[in-house]
Amino acid sequence: MDAWRRLSALMRRIQTVNAMRTWSRGLQRKGVTIGLVPTMGALHEGHRSLIRAARLACDAVAVSIFVNPLQFGPLEDFDRYPRSLAQDLRICRSAGVDTVFIPRAQEMYPADFETVVSVQRLTRRYEGLSRPGHFGGVTTVVTKLLNIIRPDKAFFGQKDYQQAVVVERLAKDLDLDTEIVVRPTVREPDGLALSSRNRHLSPEERKAATVLYRALSEGRELIRAGERSVRKVEAAMTRLIRAEPVVRLDYLAVVDPITLDEVRSVRGRVVLLLAVWIGETRLIDNLIVTAR
Ligand code: AMP
């Protein structure tokens, strides 16, 4: 076991930017590599898979747990967002996390805070249209976390596909010294992507929620069977979603995996992006599909 790990067998909980900086700079001086998994807590198997990937790729792992007020609109579910810190800490401990960074909102955004980091074109569509201001909050908090910790690698889920592309762009454009790693979506056995917001679903809504993956799979099967018309793929997916009375479609798009531009006919790799409302809960999902 490495000496630094023996010394820090207990998982650290850090609440201040200064203490977090001191922890990471101290390890980096010893040549220890750091992997960061940024989260908003209410941890599940999707987060665990990111932590596992970080443990495999880096010497030390930090998880941030911060329900970032800046990425929620005034009418969104910030107050209702699930919080389960005690359980999150147990999960982190059992997953071998070295440090959990749990800053308070005032620590990240003191009263005189006034900077917003903004990625332009990539954020003006899909999630950015449905949730004005959302990506400004995401890119600002990610920039802060990457500056505070300066991890060698930071791990994000494909589950939030547009977010992953935006963060990759941000890291490149601002010459951040962190490799962005995107890991596959972890799903329930029936295909529903794990999400902290799933715990809001009633039993009836939970059943209906399988329609996200069913619609995405239908799109993928059509493309695999040779369909190249995006209009037809979208029509088939929309039909499935409309058949679920408790589900309301927010957006559905077939896009280029890198530019996120909508495509009209399928060639090579595309991403099917989907967002729906189920009662009061908004869920998103996506699938990368390669036309053969
Ligand atoms: P969140 O706590 O929802 O902000 O998510 C923190 C990170 O976990 C983000 O990079 C998400 O994309 C990722 N994540 C959320 N759900 C999943 C999932 N089902 N599979 C893989 N990664 C996920």
Side-chain angles (χ1 to χ4, degrees), residues 38-40 44 46-47 50 81 156-157 159-160 163 184-186 194:
T39 81
M40 298 206 299
H44 51 64
H47 300 113
L50 297 181
Y81 196 83
F156 293 83
K159 156 79 178 12
D160 299 277
Q163 169 175 283
T185 304
V186 177
L194 295 188

